[in-house]
Amino acid sequence: MGTINGIYETKNIEPKTLLLGGNEFETGVLNVPAAGTGETINIPDGAVLTRDGTSGKYVVAEDTDGALFILVDHIITPITEAGDYPVRVCIKGDVNRNLVTLGGENLTNAQVDALRQNGIFALTTHEIQ
């Protein structure tokens, strides 16, 4: 992470980079339930997941209770159909807050704090032109 030395430091990253560094991953199964009538399923990279207590599979998080993970499987997302999908998730490290969603919405400060308690640091990035 570096030392605090009073010097402002910057790191150049691509504007749409989800993973910012120091990340650890886990592979598992994401369970996606069928959508309701007239609804569509859209689970993109950056979605916050949690683990189902019964099956042990990942599910899309509706709140910040329990262990939290970030979907980072670039191959099959966005997921648009119900079923079980093998996925890769971030279990620790730095992620781009601008690209992380909980329930399809941007993160609140309280949700960022909950991710931090799980070892995931959602950092705000800025595009400089």
Side-chain angles (χ1 to χ4, degrees), residues 48-111:
V48 177
L49 307 177
T50 191
R51 195 180 309 270
D52 180 73
T54 305
S55 69
K57 296 176 184 177
Y58 299 115
V59 293
V60 175
E62 296 178 8
D63 53 41
T64 54
D65 292 339
L68 301 173
F69 313 93
I70 305 294
L71 181 63
V72 296
D73 197 329
H74 299 282
I75 297 172
I76 63 170
T77 58
I79 294 168
T80 56
E81 295 184 20
D84 286 343
Y85 295 88
V87 293
R88 187 173 181 194
V89 298
C90 175
I91 61 173
K92 182 179 177 184
D94 299 340
V95 295
N96 185 341
R97 178 179 178 167
N98 303 327
L99 301 178
V100 176
T101 60
L102 179 65
E105 302 291 328
N106 293 330
L107 297 176
T108 65
N109 289 336
Q111 293 164 340

